[in-house]
Amino acid sequence: MAPYLLLLPALIFLATFTYWPMAQVVFASAFEGRTIGSATTYVAFGNYLRLLDDEDFLGALWNTILFITWTVIPSMALGFLFALALRRSGWLSNIHRALLFFPTLLPLVAAASLFIFIFLPGVGLLDYYLAKIGVHGINWLGDPDLALWSIMLLTIWKNAGYYMLFFLAGLQSLPEDAEDAALIEGASWWQRQYFVVIPMLGPTFAFVSVIAIITAVVQVDHVIVMTKGGPNNATNLLLFYVYQQAHEFYDIGKATAATVVTLAFLLALSALSLRTMERRVHYES
Amino acid sequence: MSFIKTFVGAVALTAFAGGATAAERIEFMFPAPVQGKLSREMQRIVKEYNASQDTVEVIGVFTGSYDDTKIKAQAATEAGKPPAVVLMGANFAAELAMSDLIEPISAVAPEGTNLDAFLNEFWPAVRANAKFDGQLYSIPFQNSTPILYYNKEHFAEAGISKAPETWAEWIKAAKKLTKADGERWGLMMPSNYDYNGWLVQALAMSSGGSFYNTSYPGEIYYDHASTKAALKFWRDMAHTHKAMPTGVTDSKAVSTAFFSGKSSMIVLSTGALSFVRNNAKFDYDVAFIPRNVRNSVPIGGASLVSFKGTTPEQKAAAWDFMSYLVSKEVIGGWSRFTGYFSPRKTAYDLPVMQEFVKNNPDALTAVEQLKYAGPWIATYNTVAVRKAVEDEMQALLSDEKLTIDEAAARAQKNANEVLKPYVESTALRF
């Protein structure tokens, strides 16, 4: 009984603010409801079927998968490389750490507003420098083939420094003797990183990947500020889709069903990444 | 120490002042679609109003874009705190009235107010969007039409003597003004959501057709010839005539390109007039949107509405504040500050307005274009219906291979899907 009593305070908060709303959303997704006109009617899986029929939703799902893949991997890789490079303390490396961490401190909305002007075709900062090497007038946010990648660029810029912090902390806590042993055995720098450092950082990788995936799915500010999901839904992500269905189109049925799908998607991804990472995790006795 | 004293003193003073006057507090939500300067000016007007009397205290809340303002006002209402006064996108009044969210003005104004005489002081073009089902639901405050801004220096350099008046002249001028490699575009128009639908409507109206059924909110005409002409004109400007960048261009990019001389002509709202006047470092002028078969544009802008669920005292306060905002002096001052035309016709009778118009003839073009203006798209679920055509327009601007027929058919199909619940609710079931 005692362990449950100890869990109770946290459980009350989790139940009120997480589990209960989740149950409510699942329940609500079985009803079709709009603010105007029709009353709510029970439709069982009707809302989910309507989602499958909605090109915008399928597009948003695909965009989200692309977005997760191409923001999580590069920003984690960069974060890890930064951490390796700046592993030893010193004034120079402290300055670099601060600079690389700086984007994390900016609110996403502010960063997105800044990047609108960086991405402006013809007159923006990016095009200004590209013009010097003969590349002209790329419409970064206005071209459906580029818009999502442009937003990814901002996301990677913003998150890499944050993940660097976790990797730095992870590196500090590694026992030095393992690396020293490898060094004495004649392992090259690459071999030491690949066979010693990375496996020992397993828990950090597992943790950061879960954080990074969640961040990629729940951040929506940049989409709202920069493109509103456009051009022609090219940057429509799951969470933005939910927001739009609920608050702009008042299709509560679709919005709740899409929320459930997003939740399930997130849970599955988190479980998967924890599971795969766990196998490579190195535990200290 | 002294800081704490001042703080305590201030708190005591506020408490005392609050107790002594017992002013009716109401919330006023307003958007500022063009620039931050407008929201500061609006806060100044609110402050001035609060200082001018002691029965009402208005709290101004800046709520972002038109679409965002609608979302926030509805969210506040759902949370049980309906805002007494909201400056709402002019075309949303019908939808809000339909869903029983806003009060008819007759329920806010004191009994016996002659609203017909009141509305007659406003330009005819703005009246349709203010009414739903014969009743007045909103009071126009800031209105606009799309307008053509052009760089006179570029025109002189290209040997063009006057602003284009027809689409043929428009295309010719745009091609002539364009320089290779994106160094300069002949024409730029904002194609981000919201602006996009408004301009497609303007081009469709210019081609002679209706855009939607003004008396039945369940019908839209995306696959009609006039809308197709609009889609084609815009698409061709980018792909065929190469006088406009391809892909989607945000309104911020459009104004920036104009100021930096990267675009010779732009289409923007008249609400951007002061913004252009203050930032264009060259000789510019404004003109009507060129016509395909006729001069015709939709109005834009925002009107004052009052959400349902307020107390009678709050309604009285709301009316007092609304009347203040649309008084000739205040509405005229706002028009001079922003560039929006004053929907209240009689404001132009004021000497200060006549003086202003004489010194800034560009302010008059929007007013003259009003003769040819019609209502702005207002249907069931307007934003979703609008998005159906905006998505296709954006696709057309990016994808050269997409045909007009395909795009128009898909816009119509998606819009019909959105309108279906309303259409079904109005049909008898057999």
Side-chain angles (χ1 to χ4, degrees), chain B residues 304-327:
Chain B
L304 300 165
V305 297
S306 184
F307 274 71
K308 278 205 165 162
T310 52
T311 63
E313 292 77 27
Q314 285 173 325
K315 283 193 183 78
W319 174 254
D320 193 69
F321 179 56
M322 283 173 160
S323 315
Y324 177 82
L325 281 180
V326 301
S327 66

Side-chain angles (χ1 to χ4, degrees), chain B residues 260-333:
Chain B
S260 62
K262 296 253 178 202
S263 184
S264 302
M265 295 186 279
I266 55 166
V267 174
L268 279 181
S269 156
T270 51
L273 194 54
S274 294
F275 183 49
V276 172
R277 198 180 289 144
N278 296 335
N279 288 286
K281 303 272 178 277
F282 48 82
D283 206 8
Y284 75 93
D285 207 349
V286 294
F288 283 10
I289 297 296
R291 63 176 183 273
N292 182 9
V293 300
R294 60 168 180 180
N295 281 319
S296 185
V297 284
I299 64 141
S303 309
L304 300 165
V305 297
S306 184
F307 274 71
K308 278 205 165 162
T310 52
T311 63
E313 292 77 27
Q314 285 173 325
K315 283 193 183 78
W319 174 254
D320 193 69
F321 179 56
M322 283 173 160
S323 315
Y324 177 82
L325 281 180
V326 301
S327 66
K328 286 180 218 169
E329 289 73 20
V330 175
I331 212 171

Side-chain angles (χ1 to χ4, degrees), chain B residues 193-220:
Chain B
Y193 293 116
D194 196 5
Y195 238 124
N196 186 318
W198 193 45
L199 295 184
V200 170
Q201 185 184 357
L203 296 171
M205 285 169 75
S206 169
S207 301
S210 315
F211 196 56
Y212 71 104
N213 188 334
T214 50
S215 50
Y216 176 68
E219 210 172 57
I220 189 93

Side-chain angles (χ1 to χ4, degrees), chain A residues 42 100 109 120 153 160 184 220 226:
Chain A
Y42 177 73
L100 288 169
V109 173
L120 272 189
L153 205 66
I184 294 166
V220 72
M226 294 167 92

